[in-house]
Amino acid sequence: DIKLKECATCDLARYCSDECQEDDRDRRQHETKCKERAAELRDEKLFMQPESSHRGDCPIICCLPHPLDLETSMMMNACCSKLICRGCSHASTEREVGENRQPTCPFCRHPTPKTQDEANVSFKKRVAANDPDALCVMGTEHFVKEDYVGALFEYWTKAAESGDALAHYELSCFHQNGKGVEKDEKKRLYHLVEAAIAGHPDARCN
């Protein structure tokens, strides 16, 4: 049996090979329909209710959606940059204390850094690995320092390329306000829609 391959953009056409797709006699006609269908699929994603928080779910014990207020209810470990709710983190710590075990990350079980320097080294590894959450944190640090050029956009752009909703939303705001970058309505709308599709609440309100 020949396994047909769907068009990468739409779900209207199927091909038996790349050569088949290239030789499609109606390719120009398909390109028009393809763009129309791609726009329809994008709208479907945009208006679909997200199943969870744009920050995902706690990956440890409770597996509940992360709340919007991350600062008071979540924590991020430098070793894996996973967002973990404080309840699951506390439960993991209590178990380790009860079993007289060395403190570790509740997610990856990496030993807890003993110094801030060790934590910084681990976190830089996550940034180098293009972890979207770590990249967002780095971008936010530059934002707090009001360093609106260079590294800030590099970090948030990389995070957005990985589908991070917060990075998309922040980039849309910058292209709207023109901070550190020229105002660009097309890019603003693109990042805003991507953030909304990913479930960012402020983007969905817009």
Side-chain angles (χ1 to χ4, degrees), residues 99-141:
E99 297 175 357
N100 196 26
R101 292 193 287 116
Q102 180 183 5
T104 60
C105 170
F107 181 78
C108 68
R109 297 304 176 187
H110 188 278
T112 301
K114 297 180 180 179
T115 65
Q116 186 59 45
D117 289 339
E118 289 183 8
N120 291 339
V121 170
S122 296
F123 189 72
K124 287 180 180 179
K125 290 181 180 179
R126 299 309 307 158
V127 174
N130 289 330
D131 183 288
D133 287 320
L135 291 169
C136 267
V137 170
M138 292 298 294
T140 302
E141 288 184 0

Side-chain angles (χ1 to χ4, degrees), residues 157-172:
T157 299
K158 286 183 178 180
E161 289 172 352
S162 298
D164 189 90
L166 177 60
H168 274 299
Y169 181 73
E170 295 294 353
L171 288 172
S172 73

Side-chain angles (χ1 to χ4, degrees), residues 73-202:
S73 56
M74 298 290 115
M75 59 176 292
M76 176 188 288
N77 287 344
C79 49
C80 58
S81 67
K82 291 293 184 182
L83 291 172
I84 302 169
C85 76
R86 295 191 180 278
C88 289
S89 177
H90 176 73
S92 178
T93 301
E94 286 291 303
R95 182 174 57 189
E96 289 172 342
V97 171
E99 297 175 357
N100 196 26
R101 292 193 287 116
Q102 180 183 5
T104 60
C105 170
F107 181 78
C108 68
R109 297 304 176 187
H110 188 278
T112 301
K114 297 180 180 179
T115 65
Q116 186 59 45
D117 289 339
E118 289 183 8
N120 291 339
V121 170
S122 296
F123 189 72
K124 287 180 180 179
K125 290 181 180 179
R126 299 309 307 158
V127 174
N130 289 330
D131 183 288
D133 287 320
L135 291 169
C136 267
V137 170
M138 292 298 294
T140 302
E141 288 184 0
H142 285 274
F143 176 79
V144 172
K145 297 176 183 177
E146 297 187 357
D147 179 12
Y148 299 139
V149 295
L152 182 149
F153 285 98
E154 179 182 351
Y155 289 129
W156 275 348
T157 299
K158 286 183 178 180
E161 289 172 352
S162 298
D164 189 90
L166 177 60
H168 274 299
Y169 181 73
E170 295 294 353
L171 288 172
S172 73
C173 293
F174 270 74
H175 283 296
Q176 179 181 19
N177 300 326
K179 279 189 176 181
V181 66
E182 292 184 4
K183 291 184 178 181
D184 191 318
E185 180 62 18
K186 185 176 181 180
K187 290 183 178 180
R188 181 198 74 83
L189 185 59
Y190 166 76
H191 287 295
L192 187 65
V193 170
E194 288 296 319
I197 290 175
H200 193 284
D202 292 334

